[in-house]
Amino acid sequence: MTAPEPEPKTTSFHRRYLDMVEEIESEYSVASWKGGDVDVWPLARMELYLDMHWASTCRNRPTSRAFPFRPLVRLAKPVTNWWNSRRDLAHFLTRPRRAGAIFLGDGVSLDFVDGQWQDRFCEPLIASYEAQGVTTFLMQSGNFNRLPWRRPTYAANLVAAKGLRSLAQRLPLQLPDYEQVLGILERYDVRSPSLVRPNLAHLASTVSSTASEFELVFRRVKPSVAFVVTYYAGLGPAFVLACRRQGILSVDLQHCPQEGAHKAYCWTAVPAQGYTTMPAVFWTWSEREASDLRTWTSALAQPWHRSLYGGHVQVMPFLIDGDPATVAWDRKFADTSNGVRYEREILVALQPIAGHRARWEALAQQINSSPDDWRWWLRRHPASGQQQDSEYSSLLSIRRSNVLIEEASSFPLPALLRNMSVLVSLASGACAEAAAFGVPALFLSDEARDTFSRLIERNVAAVIDVAQLNREIGSRPARTCRSAGSPRSGIEGVLRDLGELGADYSRLCGIFPDRQLRA
């Protein structure tokens, strides 16, 4: 009797997406999809990814508020922003002000440090600029429900509201090979409602009108360089389009591992003039990631798009054992143990991804059956809300002295990782930061095989069955050995390089502004 053949591995939606868009870009003229000066394909690609993601969870993609209520919500934004910020009016900016550098956070990549919320990627650069005497202007997306801020912050949702209010008509679209692209989607058995023509027209028009509102902000701020976190989501495309129109160098700050397989950082086709809805510079955490980007920016996109190895600005200080701030955080970490010696410290990165409740419940069982001298840090994703918390309520309801929940979110991620034995997640991008500290990552979802294949190949990460978690943790060293690697030294030089690139970029755009980094 012959043994049954093993079942073929199911291809993840992420891998299917990458294969499909590579085929589309190789075969068809999607790089020429336009709506006025808006390059539509980068927008369509991200919408396609979201449609596929929600389909993979067997749930409907969340929709925006019903149309009759949208105008009322937009008109009320100034009042609701003020009301939401009433407990922190000292940091509530009501209008743009002059500054040498402008920042747009995604409203998600935030840390609650010493009782204040700060942008984990923008804050180190803002502090560096201020040390050099350069003024900055910080904007955040979202509804300002995380207070107080560490710095004065402008509500970018005002820009979004004005952009929608000025949306007079939809831009006419040019979509060569559109029907052929739909044929590829059908062959891959992908349904993407976002890619129907009316939706693409509305999206392009919204980005264009919102970019016009950002231009008004730029004319008041007069920055020489503009930074954005998550360029491809939310207000990011409109922000970088406004930069392109004004000849301002836009810089995307890396916010998660790219691994050469990220949905927004792998391109096969780029127009000769670059994409207007993509940033001019991609700031990367490592030289390897900068090199990955050069495989297409150098060949297809220069001088309109380029990569720059700037380093992980949040992690770098924590790689230096004698750094005063690092020493202070280590002391705070030690204080949480109240003199108890824990054999293992385990960080669980909770991800608000639908469809994994059973896996979270199985993880709760593992925690409840673990040794008392293992300490578990359950860290919520900064984007999590009440609805997401319900997905892993079995974890948040654990009441054990060796399970910390609120404390896990009160430390910057690197301050925790440098003291951890292991990182556990579905497929969290925190694995890259963990690797910098020699902390192994244990993934509970097969999706990680496609998104973090390099870390797995290097044996610094592994995909395991949640039922084997405690056994896997127990088989690994209680303390990790971090190599004394040399982090990227200083970001001041990188910022100076960007200043030089900014002047070149303005001339490339045919704009010759009288801009310089101002005190």
Side-chain angles (χ1 to χ4, degrees):
M1 185 174 179
T2 58
E5 292 184 5
E7 294 185 5
K9 177 183 178 294
T10 302
T11 303
S12 71
F13 91 89
H14 182 86
R15 184 71 262 167
R16 288 174 61 232
Y17 167 83
L18 293 179
D19 291 342
M20 183 171 61
V21 296
E22 181 179 4
E23 180 177 348
I24 290 173
E25 292 178 5
S26 299
E27 298 294 330
Y28 302 114
S29 302
V30 289
S32 300
W33 285 15
K34 302 280 286 189
D37 66 344
V38 178
D39 282 313
V40 174
W41 177 240
L43 310 178
R45 247 184 68 153
M46 296 308 118
E47 292 297 308
L48 172 61
Y49 186 89
L50 290 174
D51 285 342
M52 292 180 66
H53 162 73
W54 283 102
S56 73
T57 68
C58 300
R59 299 193 179 192
N60 294 325
R61 181 175 171 181
T63 56
S64 57
R65 192 180 297 270
F67 179 76
F69 297 99
R70 291 179 195 167
L72 296 177
V73 173
R74 292 197 298 269
L75 289 172
K77 278 298 178 189
V79 176
T80 56
N81 282 341
W82 178 86
W83 178 255
N84 291 338
S85 300
R86 66 191 183 280
R87 292 179 290 107
D88 188 31
L89 292 177
H91 293 126
F92 179 54
L93 291 179
T94 58
R95 62 182 60 193
R97 63 187 187 190
R98 293 285 293 270
I102 191 169
F103 292 80
L104 175 64
D106 60 5
V108 172
S109 303
L110 305 171
D111 286 325
F112 192 63
V113 178
D114 290 336
Q116 296 176 309
W117 289 96
Q118 66 183 41
D119 193 298
R120 71 174 62 115
F121 303 114
C122 297
E123 174 61 30
L125 300 187
I126 292 173
S128 180
Y129 270 131
E130 289 190 345
Q132 300 175 56
V134 176
T135 54
T136 59
F137 181 74
L138 174 63
M139 300 183 290
Q140 286 290 352
S141 305
N143 294 315
F144 276 37
N145 55 357
R146 292 176 172 88
L147 297 174
W149 295 111
R150 179 167 299 281
R151 295 185 177 276
T153 305
Y154 182 76
N157 58 22
L158 289 175
V159 178
K162 292 177 181 178
L164 289 173
R165 193 165 61 225
S166 64
L167 187 59
Q169 60 183 3
R170 294 185 180 179
L171 296 171
L173 297 182
Q174 302 172 20
L175 305 177
D177 299 332
Y178 177 72
E179 297 300 330
Q180 290 90 331
V181 171
L182 295 185
I184 295 290
L185 299 186
E186 184 176 355
R187 178 156 60 80
Y188 275 82
D189 193 25
V190 170
R191 181 177 176 273
S192 181
S194 300
L195 263 61
V196 300
R197 280 181 179 269
N199 288 346
L200 290 178
H202 178 74
L203 180 60
S205 300
T206 300
V207 169
S208 179
S209 59
T210 306
S212 297
E213 295 299 324
F214 270 123
E215 288 185 87
L216 297 178
V217 173
F218 292 163
R219 287 169 189 152
R220 289 189 176 185
V221 178
K222 297 187 181 302
S224 61
V225 63
F227 296 89
V228 60
V229 180
T230 318
Y231 85 87
Y232 53 86
L235 296 174
F239 183 79
V240 298
L241 174 61
C243 290
R244 175 73 174 258
R245 289 174 175 174
Q246 293 290 310
I248 299 169
L249 188 76
S250 57
V251 183
D252 173 65
L253 297 176
Q254 182 174 343
H255 66 284
C256 64
Q258 295 172 3
E259 287 279 295
H262 191 286
K263 62 183 179 293
Y265 299 95
C266 300
W267 299 81
T268 303
V270 181
Q273 298 296 309
Y275 280 121
T276 59
T277 47
M278 283 172 55
V281 176
F282 297 94
W283 179 305
T284 69
W285 292 348
S286 68
E287 179 55 46
R288 174 66 180 269
E289 285 159 319
S291 179
D292 286 339
L293 290 173
R294 287 191 203 106
T295 61
W296 63 268
T297 56
S298 296
L300 304 171
Q302 278 199 345
W304 294 99
H305 308 295
R306 66 183 71 204
S307 63
L308 175 70
Y309 168 38
H312 195 314
V313 292
Q314 187 196 31
V315 166
M316 287 189 293
F318 290 93
L319 293 173
I320 304 172
D321 291 334
D323 182 86
T326 300
V327 171
W329 282 113
D330 282 346
R331 288 173 181 162
K332 289 183 180 181
F333 184 89
D335 290 343
T336 62
S337 65
N338 295 318
V340 178
R341 169 73 177 176
Y342 290 99
E343 183 190 7
R344 282 173 169 79
E345 302 277 4
I346 304 155
L347 177 61
V348 179
L350 300 175
Q351 294 175 268
I353 303 175
H356 293 277
R357 186 169 300 185
R359 193 172 274 120
W360 293 127
E361 290 174 352
L363 175 58
Q365 294 175 11
Q366 290 287 301
I367 293 174
N368 282 319
S369 62
S370 66
D372 291 338
D373 60 354
W374 290 12
R375 185 160 58 161
W376 301 78
W377 299 71
L378 308 185
R379 183 180 175 91
R380 287 185 178 94
H381 189 282
S384 293
Q386 215 167 19
Q387 182 177 357
Q388 288 86 1
D389 282 353
S390 66
E391 283 290 312
Y392 31 72
S393 59
S394 57
L395 290 169
L396 299 180
S397 62
I398 296 176
R399 296 294 179 265
R400 294 181 58 177
S401 60
N402 63 336
V403 176
L404 303 182
I405 299 175
E406 297 304 326
E407 295 89 342
S409 298
S410 64
F411 284 78
L413 180 60
L416 282 179
L417 286 172
R418 63 182 275 112
N419 292 285
M420 289 294 117
S421 307
V422 68
L423 169 71
V424 178
S425 73
L426 292 175
S428 171
C431 59
E433 286 101 330
F437 295 97
V439 175
L442 298 179
F443 297 121
L444 306 180
S445 171
D446 279 333
E447 290 286 343
R449 297 187 191 279
D450 289 319
T451 48
F452 305 118
S453 58
R454 289 179 181 172
L455 290 176
I456 294 171
E457 290 168 1
R458 287 164 44 201
N459 293 320
V460 296
V463 179
I464 67 167
D465 188 313
V466 64
Q468 303 299 317
L469 178 61
N470 286 351
R471 181 182 301 177
E472 183 69 29
I473 293 174
S475 69
R476 292 173 177 268
R479 290 290 179 267
T480 59
C481 297
R482 174 164 55 89
S483 60
S486 57
R488 181 75 158 88
S489 58
I491 59 176
E492 293 79 9
V494 183
L495 297 181
R496 284 193 295 271
D497 292 343
L498 287 176
E500 296 177 4
L501 287 176
D504 294 338
Y505 185 75
S506 293
R507 288 190 289 270
L508 181 66
C509 295
I511 298 173
F512 303 90
D514 181 21
R515 293 195 193 98
Q516 59 181 356
L517 288 176
R518 290 180 299 278

